[in-house]
Amino acid sequence: MEATVAKTGTEGKKWGGGSRPLNASYGKLMMWFFIVSDALTFSGFIASYGFSRFKFIDAWPIADQVFTHVPFLHGVPAPMYYVAFMTLVLIFSSVTMVLAVDAGHKMKQSKVAWYMFFTIIGGAIFVGSQAWEWATFIKGDFGAIETKGGKILQFLNKDGERVAIADFTKHIPSERTLHEKKNGIWYAEEPVTPTTFTYEEVKTSFLADENLLIRTQYLDEHGHPTVLSREESVAKLVNDGKLVVEGANLIRNEYGHPLFANFFFFITGFHGFHVFSGVIINIIIFFNVILGTYERRKSYEMVEKVGLYWHFVDLVWVFVFTFFYLV
Amino acid sequence: MAHEHKLEIFRGLVKFKSNISKIWGVFAFLCAVTAVEVVLGIIKPESLTGSRILAMKTLNWIFIILTLVKAYYITWDFMHMRDELKSLRRAVVWTAVFLICYLILILLLEGGYIFDVYKDNYIKFNF
């Protein structure tokens, strides 16, 4: 090697090469740089969420009216508890990770393996919880009506409690006719995905039940969604209503503005993807620990590097939690 | 490889005996902060949602400050930023903080502006 490297006259100086000016190895430094760039990606997502929210500040869904579900407690509104649980799981898996790093510094192979194992379990619980949260969000619970302007109308009773569409709507017997080639353009399809009830059915049942009111997505000065009087509700539904929305997807969202659903899917999805890949990387390192790779290498620095990534995933969740569920 | 850990947190107010006890201490602190956030998020006290400091609800200020506190301890103690050289610390933290603040400033101002355009001008979303 000596023969091929030109002398620069800086040998032995701090930046002359061969030394570590930042006192961190190449791998750790690169992990930090990756984390900075990934943090910028996430902040891009979260800042654009803020942008859209500020753009529709008077009509943005309130998170604790959206995420009110806890597994096995069906029908019990419990805002925040489940997300809080997910946050704690992730923070705890961060703790086991940093304990693994600490055990790695002391070259204790079996301890590193156990702590890595707990970290993997924590990550898996978190990803599973997120999948459950997504499924609940996509399925929806009360259903809503979308207006011609793309706004959402939700139903309340006179006591101000939410009422599900399925609870007051009766089916009107009708037959769906098969569209045959001979009747017209052969490639025509149904315009929207069929829902359990049609707008006409909801409208008829709503007009028949004096107890029902409509809540719009516009917020009043106290930050609560506006509730219309019975006359206003009827007028709103009859004049502006267009179709039934059940659950949330990238185009329609029964909880309010579709952008809320889009950002929910993209931000928590991108974060969930990070957790998922973190779990995969942790599993690889876990097996390396068990196989004794780092014992032979006499350094557990790889554990430290994946640890940095894992903590970063936790760090991002702290922000997602605040900006999606709290603020 | 020797690993030196700085064992005091809260500017030296609390000093732990070992790295492991420091980890558990920080964990307890993070749990406490999260608990405060969750309780405030569920109760949403009227006094905090009604009042505003610098155009933002007091409650939201509390949430954001607590989040930054949590982020600080995760980075400093779990990611061992406390033990790194000042130069590495600044290269990572200042870069990210500056760019993120700038991004947020621009996007939120622009979002607020577009809201005003929708509200006060000819484009109406009241149907």
Side-chain angles (χ1 to χ4, degrees):
Chain A
M1 282 300 281
E2 190 72 23
T4 56
V5 177
K7 294 275 188 211
T8 56
T10 55
E11 292 81 9
K13 296 259 169 56
K14 192 142 208 194
W15 290 94
S19 68
R20 291 171 173 176
L22 294 177
N23 211 9
S25 68
Y26 176 79
K28 257 174 86 174
L29 214 52
M30 288 305 117
M31 184 52 92
W32 272 115
F33 287 167
F34 166 72
I35 286 172
V36 170
S37 66
D38 215 22
L40 292 174
T41 313
F42 270 108
S43 46
F45 269 137
I46 294 178
S48 55
Y49 170 82
F51 169 78
S52 298
R53 187 172 172 167
F54 271 48
K55 193 168 151 184
F56 301 107
I57 194 80
D58 60 344
W60 200 252
I62 298 163
D64 54 355
Q65 293 179 357
V66 178
F67 306 104
T68 58
H69 304 274
V70 172
F72 311 117
L73 285 179
H74 191 73
V76 183
M80 303 278 305
Y81 291 104
Y82 196 53
V83 214
F85 163 76
M86 284 164 68
T87 310
L88 283 182
V89 166
L90 207 56
I91 291 180
F92 188 73
S93 80
S94 244
V95 170
T96 53
M97 187 76 235
V98 72
L99 287 171
V101 172
D102 187 78
H105 288 164
K106 293 168 187 154
M107 301 296 290
K108 290 177 180 161
Q109 187 186 4
S110 66
K111 266 196 164 179
V112 179
W114 273 110
Y115 285 134
M116 289 296 292
F117 178 72
F118 291 132
T119 309
I120 292 164
I121 299 294
I125 294 176
F126 183 86
V127 178
S129 306
Q130 216 166 37
W132 184 87
E133 185 119 312
W134 270 47
T136 318
F137 184 68
I138 291 170
K139 187 163 154 276
D141 46 355
F142 293 105
I145 291 285
E146 192 178 295
T147 66
K148 289 167 189 155
K151 300 292 175 204
I152 288 296
L153 306 175
Q154 297 168 333
F155 298 98
L156 302 177
N157 59 21
K158 285 254 156 80
D159 304 327
E161 288 158 359
R162 291 290 303 276
V163 181
I165 282 185
D167 289 346
F168 68 85
T169 308
K170 289 175 196 67
H171 276 294
I172 301 170
S174 69
E175 251 178 66
R176 285 174 69 202
T177 47
L178 189 67
H179 185 81
E180 290 174 42
K181 276 186 194 175
K182 63 176 190 220
N183 292 335
I185 306 165
W186 59 272
Y187 51 80
E189 285 175 8
E190 274 188 307
V192 285
T193 322
T195 44
T196 326
F197 298 99
T198 64
Y199 165 63
E200 287 303 322
E201 287 170 343
V202 174
K203 190 171 82 178
T204 315
S205 306
F206 182 84
L207 294 177
D209 191 342
E210 285 292 324
N211 265 324
L212 295 173
L213 296 175
I214 274 181
R215 184 168 89 174
T216 69
Q217 64 186 71
Y218 286 99
L219 307 175
D220 61 19
E221 64 272 23
H222 302 295
H224 304 300
T226 317
V227 181
L228 303 178
S229 68
R230 176 68 190 172
E231 294 75 48
E232 288 171 331
S233 300
V234 170
K236 188 83 182 164
L237 185 66
V238 172
N239 297 333
D240 294 344
K242 191 175 164 212
L243 48 91
V244 176
V245 186
E246 288 167 339
N249 52 49
L250 290 176
I251 303 164
R252 304 205 155 74
N253 171 14
E254 68 157 62
Y255 301 101
H257 205 288
L259 276 174
F260 179 84
N262 296 353
F263 278 110
F264 176 76
F265 289 129
F266 271 94
I267 294 177
T268 64
F270 196 54
H271 177 264
F273 174 67
H274 274 75
V275 181
F276 176 74
S277 44
V279 168
I280 300 290
I281 297 168
N282 277 346
I283 288 174
I284 296 171
I285 301 299
F286 171 69
F287 280 112
N288 275 343
V289 171
I290 288 187
L291 293 173
T293 310
Y294 307 124
E295 280 301 309
R296 287 194 293 280
R297 206 178 276 178
K298 294 188 176 49
S299 161
Y300 278 87
E301 205 192 67
M302 272 317 276
V303 177
E304 217 172 320
K305 283 181 248 178
V306 295
L308 281 180
Y309 179 68
W310 190 254
H311 297 311
F312 171 69
V313 168
D314 181 26
L315 184 70
V316 169
W317 181 254
V318 166
F319 285 92
V320 173
F321 176 62
T322 300
F323 291 112
F324 242 95
Y325 295 92
L326 290 176
V327 168
Chain B
M1 220 158 106
H3 289 275
E4 301 297 322
H5 290 292
K6 292 180 183 149
L7 295 175
E8 62 264 307
I9 63 171
F10 303 138
R11 298 204 157 267
L13 205 65
V14 181
K15 187 165 166 54
F16 293 99
K17 288 196 176 64
S18 71
N19 191 36
I20 291 178
S21 62
K22 184 181 84 166
I23 293 167
W24 287 110
V26 171
F27 173 61
F29 176 69
L30 291 178
C31 285
V33 173
T34 309
V36 170
E37 283 183 337
V38 170
V39 168
L40 283 178
I42 292 170
I43 301 174
K44 295 208 168 166
E46 200 65 41
S47 57
L48 296 177
T49 52
S51 57
R52 279 164 189 273
I53 299 170
L54 290 177
M56 190 159 76
K57 284 178 188 162
T58 316
L59 188 64
N60 288 356
W61 276 111
I62 294 176
F63 285 147
I64 289 169
I65 289 166
L66 288 182
T67 303
L68 292 175
V69 168
K70 278 205 283 186
Y72 174 85
Y73 283 100
I74 289 173
T75 319
W76 254 244
D77 290 309
F78 287 178
M79 297 167 102
H80 300 300
M81 208 39 141
R82 206 187 284 281
D83 308 324
E84 303 290 356
L85 287 186
K86 199 180 265 176
S87 43
L88 172 57
R89 218 151 58 202
R90 288 180 176 176
V92 170
V93 177
W94 286 10
T95 313
V97 167
F98 167 72
L99 289 172
I100 291 169
C101 289
Y102 186 44
L103 187 69
I104 290 172
L105 175 81
I106 292 176
L107 284 183
L108 293 192
L109 279 180
E110 184 69 9
Y113 168 72
I114 295 177
F115 172 75
D116 288 339
V117 169
Y118 279 162
K119 192 163 153 246
D120 302 329
N121 286 22
Y122 297 112
I123 306 165
K124 285 290 179 193
F125 276 82
N126 57 358
F127 47 86

